[in-house]
């Protein structure tokens, strides 16, 4: 019998202001707390990745995103059990100003130059941004490190 993988899907927002990107400092989430990370969220039942991106942007940042302005720029397969498909959408136009709408889960929100990202940064987010800078639309990551392809 075939064993088909059942992957968890997570969407990530690369909100771009010229050469800057918006990152949040995770707290009280139970995963990578104390690290900077892109605004992100898990796909919920019945949602498309774009639905999830629009919902998470509103919940976490108070932003209204037009899905037409979201460009899928990278897919990172995270080797874990279950595996994770991490989708990265870049957005350069939006309505409203980003605010920290979930201060219980995010201690700080800040714009950073893509050339000078903060530490500690969630490893695979930094890897995806670096690979994207190199023009790659696909990469793989395992906790021990990345296996870029
Ligand atoms: N590799 C890995 N990534 C994880 C784990 N848990 C976890 O939240 N993440 C990452 C994937 C996404 O980047 C991001 C989404 O988490 P989130 O906590 O922002 O998700 P969410 O807003 O949908 O909230 P929830 O599903 O935890 O209730 O966190 C994990 O166990 N392994």
């Amino acid at each position: 019998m075939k064993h088909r993988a059942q992957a968890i899907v997570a969407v990530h927002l690369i909100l771009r202001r010229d050469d800057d990107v918006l990152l949040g400092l995770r707290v009280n989430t139970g995963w990578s707390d104390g690290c900077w990370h892109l605004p992100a969220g898990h796909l919920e039942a019945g949602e498309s990745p774009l639905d999830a991106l629009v919902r998470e942007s509103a919940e976490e940042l108070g932003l209204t995103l037009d899905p037409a302005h979201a460009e899928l720029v990278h897919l990172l397969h995270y080797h874990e059990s279950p595996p994770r498909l991490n989708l990265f959408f870049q957005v350069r136009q939006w309505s409203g100003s980003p605010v920290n709408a979930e201060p219980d889960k995010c201690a700080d929100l800040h714009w950073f130059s893509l050339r000078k990202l903060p530490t500690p940064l969630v490893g695979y987010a930094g890897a995806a941004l670096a690979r994207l800078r190199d023009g790659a639309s696909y990469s793989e990551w395992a906790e021990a490190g990345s296996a870029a392809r």
Side-chain angles (χ1 to χ4, degrees):
M1 200 173 97
K2 269 192 214 164
H3 289 285
R4 294 196 173 123
Q6 298 213 346
I8 293 173
V9 179
V11 296
H12 300 69
L13 174 65
I14 304 175
L15 198 69
R16 289 292 301 274
R17 196 180 66 180
D18 300 323
D19 205 25
D20 290 353
V21 63
L22 189 71
L23 299 179
L25 186 59
R26 292 175 73 91
V27 282
N28 304 319
T29 71
W31 189 83
S32 286
D33 290 328
C35 294
W36 292 93
H37 193 30
L38 293 163
H42 295 110
L43 198 71
E44 293 183 356
E47 276 186 330
S48 73
L50 269 180
D51 292 337
L53 187 78
V54 169
R55 176 181 53 74
E56 288 288 352
S57 301
E59 286 175 6
E60 294 186 12
L61 306 174
L63 287 184
T64 304
L65 287 195
D66 178 347
H69 293 144
E71 184 189 3
L72 178 64
V73 289
H74 198 79
L75 187 151
L76 179 144
H77 176 97
Y78 196 123
H79 290 274
E80 208 173 42
S81 186
R84 290 175 164 260
L85 290 177
N86 290 303
L87 278 59
F88 295 79
F89 289 92
Q90 184 158 263
V91 172
R92 292 178 183 275
Q93 288 180 59
W94 59 88
S95 302
S97 297
V99 293
N100 185 1
E102 291 186 331
D104 52 321
K105 294 187 189 170
C106 176
D108 197 8
L109 259 191
H110 200 80
W111 292 97
F112 292 94
S113 165
L114 275 170
R115 273 173 254 151
K116 206 173 171 197
L117 293 171
T119 52
L121 176 66
V122 165
Y124 79 82
L129 289 171
R131 296 283 290 142
L132 178 59
R133 261 195 320 269
D134 295 341
S137 55
Y138 177 82
S139 59
E140 297 185 14
W141 179 264
E143 247 337 290
S146 66
R149 291 187 188 174

